[in-house]
Amino acid sequence: MSKTFPSSVVQEAYDCGIREFGENKVQELLSKKKKLPGDIRWHLIGHLQTNKVKQVLGEVVLIHSLDRLSLVREIERQAEKKGIRQVDCLIQVNISREESKFGVLPEAIGPLVEAVSRDSVIKILGLMGIAPFTEDEQQIRESFRMIRRVQDEMRSKFVFHKWDILSIGMTQDYCWAIEEGGNLIRIGSAVFGARSIQG
Ligand SMILES: *Cc1c(COP(=O)(O)O)cnc(C)c1O
């Protein structure tokens, strides 16, 4: 996660061999993308406003934050306009059930997936979740196990989506995330140092 860090710092990480970067604001992502090497695989991680869909389609390899029907429909609409044939997404799950967090409550995932038809441009590759705001290892692990169970359930129910990716784990908890089955982790400060401003 390179959010808030300037392109020059992202370039340094690139020079060390990193090729996947995540941003949580469309504007910031696009402006960095313009300045940085073309083989970077950009991820949009964070709330996606419906009116930004148009700008982000075709610019990222994965949208980690599919979380509502209106976003599904807007992605489909804009992809058709732009002639884009496939948009890879993760559904963001509100695993902590904190009101301040974006994401779909676990029980609402099924209905959202049902709204993405087999021939939609949207391909759901898995789930993304942010652990509850705590340092309690057991509580964090339990939230990861819960999202993993939801993923297994989705895999058996909706076989035409892939469900291969489980994007959990940040600097504080990525080791636990991997142990609990996470296979995509979103590391910010452990790579770039502490952020001086809020992402
Ligand atoms: C900022 C951010 C991260 C990275 O956080 P660190 O604690 O710096 O590793 C991961 N995921 C999301 C959704 C973020 O917003």
Side-chain angles (χ1 to χ4, degrees), residues 1-5 22-24 45-47 64 92 128-130 167-174 185-195 198-199:
M1 278 297 277
S2 48
K3 65 179 180 213
T4 78
F5 290 95
E23 291 287 335
N24 65 349
I45 299 167
H47 183 64
H64 289 233
Q92 181 173 350
M128 184 276 234
I130 302 171
S167 170
I168 48 176
M170 313 172 28
T171 294
Q172 178 193 243
D173 50 27
Y174 71 90
I185 51 175
R186 312 176 306 265
I187 310 289
S189 32
V191 172
F192 291 105
R195 283 180 296 276
Q198 266 291 333

Side-chain angles (χ1 to χ4, degrees), residues 25-120:
K25 297 203 173 83
V26 172
Q27 232 52 57
E28 190 175 336
L29 189 155
L30 295 178
S31 107
K32 285 179 191 172
K33 191 179 180 193
K34 256 188 250 159
K35 296 178 197 146
L36 288 159
D39 61 341
I40 291 178
R41 293 166 48 83
W42 292 97
H43 294 247
L44 184 75
I45 299 167
H47 183 64
L48 175 55
Q49 286 172 268
T50 313
N51 64 5
K52 298 276 166 65
V53 167
K54 194 174 169 177
Q55 297 163 60
V56 84
L57 286 190
E59 303 287 347
V60 297
V61 294
L62 189 60
I63 295 171
H64 289 233
S65 45
L66 193 67
D67 63 356
R68 59 199 189 278
L69 186 58
S70 59
L71 187 58
V72 167
R73 294 295 175 249
E74 180 64 7
I75 291 172
E76 289 173 340
R77 206 168 72 86
Q78 294 296 342
E80 177 165 359
K81 270 195 182 170
K82 289 187 149 196
I84 290 173
R85 303 247 287 280
Q86 187 170 326
V87 182
D88 290 340
C89 295
L90 304 179
I91 292 183
Q92 181 173 350
V93 186
N94 184 346
I95 44 177
S96 64
R97 307 189 81 91
E98 286 166 24
E99 272 186 36
S100 58
K101 291 242 170 79
F102 290 110
V104 189
L105 290 172
E107 61 271 22
I109 299 173
L112 184 64
V113 178
E114 272 166 23
V116 180
S117 71
R118 188 183 290 255
D119 55 359
S120 171

Side-chain angles (χ1 to χ4, degrees), residues 147-163:
I147 193 172
R148 175 106 191 258
R149 283 195 297 272
V150 173
Q151 188 188 26
D152 290 340
E153 199 184 305
M154 291 299 126
R155 183 183 289 118
S156 58
K157 235 172 149 176
F158 300 103
V159 293
F160 60 93
H161 290 293
K162 277 200 152 147
W163 307 110

